[in-house]
Amino acid sequence: MRKVVLFIAMSLDGYIADPAGRVDWLSGHSEEETIDTYSGFVKEVDTVVMGWNTYHQIVTELSPETWVYSQLTSYVITHRQLPSTEAIKFVQENPCELIEQLKQKQGKAIWICGGAKVVQALMQKGLIDVYYISMIPTILGSGIRLFGEAPKAIKLKLVRTQVYNGIVELVYEAVHR
């Protein structure tokens, strides 16, 4: 069965965006060389899932000219009734139901790239297999939290760490029982 991987960056205090929803703080702070872990990661996935706010930020701010995930099957979870395209499927499904359906299909890993609400729903149902978190050396103090409250503790096993440019990458596997 396909794995579900959360690949995301957050501030040291657990936020994925500032109070205005901006992510312009997502970088290291030293003169060290940046390591490209994304290129290796994206070879292992063929599907990307995100919420509307993440999608909207990508197409209006981060990459308005081209869809950066054109090599992947993209799902955007939204309440809006939008026509899907060849590259992007707009769905109104519950995130957990969508992931359960996608896991049954053939393919590589499924990447959850954003939307705190999407992440929190999947986390609470135990549907995230791998947590790939890049800790950015910034304390925002407020904003959009990655993790909300969970009905029970989620046990994780540390698989790998990497440090570069002040960023600490942590890779954990969920310990499913």
Side-chain angles (χ1 to χ4, degrees):
M1 192 175 296
R2 300 167 75 182
K3 287 194 180 248
V4 177
V5 181
L6 172 64
F7 184 94
I8 201 163
M10 73 179 186
S11 67
L12 187 60
D13 54 346
Y15 295 99
I16 57 172
D18 70 14
R22 292 188 315 265
V23 294
D24 53 353
W25 52 272
L26 284 174
S27 62
H29 297 296
S30 69
E31 299 301 316
E32 295 176 33
E33 182 179 336
T34 298
I35 298 173
D36 177 18
T37 56
Y38 173 80
S39 294
F41 165 76
V42 81
K43 290 177 184 173
E44 303 297 319
V45 301
D46 63 5
T47 304
V48 60
V49 175
M50 67 192 73
W52 170 261
N53 290 339
T54 302
Y55 165 78
H56 188 259
Q57 187 170 52
I58 292 168
V59 298
T60 61
E61 297 173 41
L62 304 176
S63 182
E65 301 300 318
T66 57
W67 181 240
V68 293
Y69 305 125
S70 61
Q71 76 279 18
L72 306 173
T73 302
S74 301
Y75 290 87
V76 177
I77 300 169
T78 179
H79 297 292
R80 293 164 176 82
Q81 298 287 329
L82 298 168
S84 294
T85 66
E86 185 90 17
I88 306 166
K89 298 175 184 349
F90 295 98
V91 297
Q92 289 76 40
E93 294 175 61
N94 172 294
C96 298
E97 292 171 7
L98 174 64
I99 293 302
E100 290 285 7
Q101 292 170 18
L102 293 174
K103 284 180 75 156
Q104 300 304 316
K105 295 180 179 182
Q106 291 290 343
K108 296 180 180 180
I110 301 163
W111 171 21
I112 309 304
C113 88
K117 290 178 185 175
V118 172
V119 171
Q120 291 168 12
L122 297 174
M123 183 187 75
Q124 289 176 4
K125 293 288 188 183
L127 292 173
I128 299 174
D129 300 303
V130 180
Y131 291 77
Y132 196 122
I133 311 288
S134 294
M135 299 291 297
I136 306 300
T138 299
I139 296 174
L140 289 178
S142 64
I144 301 170
R145 280 212 176 274
L146 176 57
F147 301 117
E149 292 187 21
K152 62 181 180 176
I154 298 170
K155 302 286 186 183
L156 304 173
K157 175 186 172 192
L158 182 64
V159 176
R160 182 174 70 248
T161 63
Q162 185 167 325
V163 178
Y164 62 90
N165 198 18
I167 298 169
V168 178
E169 289 185 345
L170 304 164
V171 181
Y172 291 97
E173 287 182 353
V175 179
H176 297 293
R177 293 185 182 200

